[in-house]
Amino acid sequence: MPLDLHEATSRRRAGMVDRLTADGVLTNVLLRDALLHVRREVLLPHAYVRIGGPGADPIDWRLLDGSHPDDEEEWLDLIHSDESILLQRDGEPLDALPRGPVTGGHMTSMSTYTPATVEALQALELSPGHRYLELGPGPGVSLALAATITGPGLATGVERDGRMTAFVQRNLDRLGVGATVVEGDALEGHEPRAPYDRIHSGIGVPCVPAPWLEQLAPGGRLLTTLATRTPSWPGDLLVTRTPAGTVEAVLQGRPRGHRPLLGYRWLNALDHRARIKADPGRARPTRLAPPPDDAYGFWLAAAYLAPGLVRDFHAKTMTIVAPHDDSWAVAGPAEGTVRVCGPRDVWAELEALHARWEEADRPESYTVDLTAGTGAQTVTSGAKPKALTWTLPTLTGIPRPRS
């Protein structure tokens, strides 16, 4: 690497760490040192940027090639920013991608935005000597950071895409962090190197696969996003296995989470956007003011107890759509009013759920019973008579990797 590029990347890594520290996101000393040590430019040699507007179909992209002088500054700024880094479209080969504009396709691999990576690794409380498993590592940023903390030979990633597996392993070898990536089905974990002290899933799953629990060591921690049909209100599930071997699990809402595993289809509001703009619906009074975005406990419950809803975050006022029911609700136009349209009264469901949430003492976190193994995994806000409760969807029907 030329000296000037080495200095430029070192400065950007330091700036990234300073920003994360000043924002109160980064607090762990071991992770701070790892972030300063791991050369992100090796793991993220290129990146797609979106140049089409929201709702455009097909989407227009532009590929930044980090080795090209005309792209270098923008690429370096991007890979050291707090944005997700898009690496692969439609499972394409990752070597010698042509730089410049391209249209269409869907992103099949990305690096999660850095604050989420930091929060996840800090929640796992990684230490030197821990055996670490990363499920769906993508380009390997969090895997490299974890390996830097645990020490060589202890961090393993499971990636379903053979092309991505080879790409990541080559880049990890260049870094010399001693991490291994194997091609396989992340839902099966990786039994040959089990048990693991720490397991992190970079993919969202509807429930916790039994092999993950079986491969978690006593005293271990497991962190994953629980995926629902809506991308609007994700939840983080932290599972701990006590030294005695019992399993405890806590589910909390958050603003963003990992994408669901391949084959799990999200709802979206894009097809209804023009119709809603033309006809927001009939206005009626409501006692429910739009709940704040950070009422994560409520919105997480809505993902399960008012299923089939998705929010259009690009709308000027809170807009929630039930795409399969051809229905929607738009807050306003005045305080104490809401506009509704379609056979399903979306806002009435949210009113009823919000009342139940308040009766349950406005829970912000939920406990999950995973003791049934491959049976039903149930969620509850507590033991009170009016507690909120639901059952997690199963993995049935999720496509598995081809042999």
Side-chain angles (χ1 to χ4, degrees):
M1 180 185 297
L3 182 61
D4 55 346
L5 182 57
H6 178 79
E7 292 177 348
T9 54
S10 295
R11 286 196 305 270
R12 281 175 167 84
R13 283 199 301 276
M16 178 184 68
V17 167
D18 288 344
R19 181 180 68 251
L20 292 166
T21 302
D23 290 344
V25 175
L26 177 60
T27 58
N28 184 280
V29 174
L30 292 175
L31 183 54
R32 181 183 187 278
D33 290 343
L35 284 162
L36 289 170
H37 175 78
V38 171
R39 292 175 291 148
R40 301 169 68 84
E41 66 276 11
V42 173
L43 299 169
L44 307 169
H46 65 265
Y48 284 100
V49 293
R50 181 170 180 157
I51 55 179
D57 187 17
I59 299 172
D60 290 326
W61 312 91
R62 181 164 57 90
L63 184 92
L64 299 176
D65 180 353
S67 66
H68 196 284
D70 290 345
D71 291 345
E72 183 180 296
E73 285 297 313
E74 185 178 359
W75 164 71
L76 285 175
D77 286 342
L78 178 60
I79 67 171
H80 292 93
S81 72
D82 290 343
E83 299 298 320
S84 297
I85 311 302
L86 310 177
L87 264 290
Q88 183 192 46
R89 291 184 316 133
D90 299 329
E92 66 192 346
L94 289 148
D95 296 318
L97 292 174
R99 65 180 290 269
V102 63
T103 297
H106 296 88
M107 289 296 154
T108 48
S109 185
M110 65 180 62
S111 177
T112 303
Y113 68 111
T114 305
T117 298
V118 169
E119 290 170 358
L121 293 178
Q122 288 182 157
L124 286 169
E125 299 181 357
L126 270 173
S127 294
H130 277 160
R131 294 159 295 177
Y132 177 82
L133 179 64
E134 177 88 14
L135 302 160
V141 172
S142 56
L143 181 59
L145 292 169
T148 303
I149 295 172
T150 64
L154 295 172
T156 305
V158 179
E159 170 60 51
R160 70 176 293 165
D161 185 327
R163 289 166 169 167
M164 181 60 70
T165 300
F167 174 80
V168 175
Q169 189 65 69
R170 182 173 65 249
N171 293 337
L172 290 170
D173 290 343
R174 286 183 59 195
L175 291 178
V177 295
T180 301
V181 184
V182 296
E183 183 180 354
D185 183 357
L187 298 181
E188 297 296 333
H190 188 61
E191 197 277 334
R193 303 189 74 177
Y196 301 95
D197 302 297
R198 300 292 186 265
I199 299 176
H200 177 234
S201 174
I203 54 176
V205 288
C207 63
V208 183
W212 297 7
L213 296 175
E214 295 164 0
Q215 294 170 25
L216 186 63
R221 288 186 162 220
L222 182 160
L223 184 66
T224 185
T225 295
L226 284 189
T228 64
R229 291 296 311 283
T230 176
S232 303
W233 309 302
D236 265 2
L237 182 67
L238 179 63
V239 181
T240 57
R241 186 180 293 281
T242 69
T246 59
V247 172
E248 300 172 352
V250 177
L251 175 63
Q252 290 185 299
R254 57 178 295 112
R256 291 194 280 187
H258 291 296
R259 286 176 174 268
L261 68 166
L262 194 63
Y264 199 81
R265 297 194 178 278
W266 269 339
L267 299 168
N268 75 79
L270 297 182
D271 292 341
H272 285 77
R273 185 175 289 166
R275 292 176 58 198
I276 295 171
K277 184 177 180 180
D279 179 15
R282 65 175 181 83
R284 69 163 175 83
T286 177
R287 293 183 178 181
L288 177 63
D293 292 347
D294 60 0
Y296 300 128
F298 168 72
W299 291 117
L300 179 60
Y304 292 95
L305 298 178
L309 303 183
V310 62
R311 181 171 170 187
D312 185 352
F313 282 97
H314 293 285
K316 292 182 179 179
T317 61
M318 182 174 287
T319 300
I320 299 177
V321 184
H324 290 175
D325 299 294
D326 202 24
S327 303
W328 56 83
V330 180
E335 184 176 350
T337 66
V338 64
R339 288 163 290 181
V340 294
C341 186
R344 181 176 175 183
D345 192 334
V346 170
W347 200 256
E349 293 183 36
L350 295 179
E351 289 171 324
L353 177 58
H354 195 271
R356 291 179 58 194
W357 182 64
E358 290 188 322
E359 290 176 345
D361 293 336
R362 304 170 67 91
E364 287 301 316
S365 63
Y366 301 84
T367 59
V368 186
D369 183 0
L370 303 175
T371 58
T374 57
Q377 299 177 359
T378 57
V379 183
T380 181
S381 64
K384 295 183 178 181
K386 294 186 177 181
L388 297 177
T389 184
W390 61 85
T391 301
L392 295 178
T394 67
L395 290 166
T396 303
I398 301 299
R400 310 302 286 270
R402 296 176 182 175
S403 58

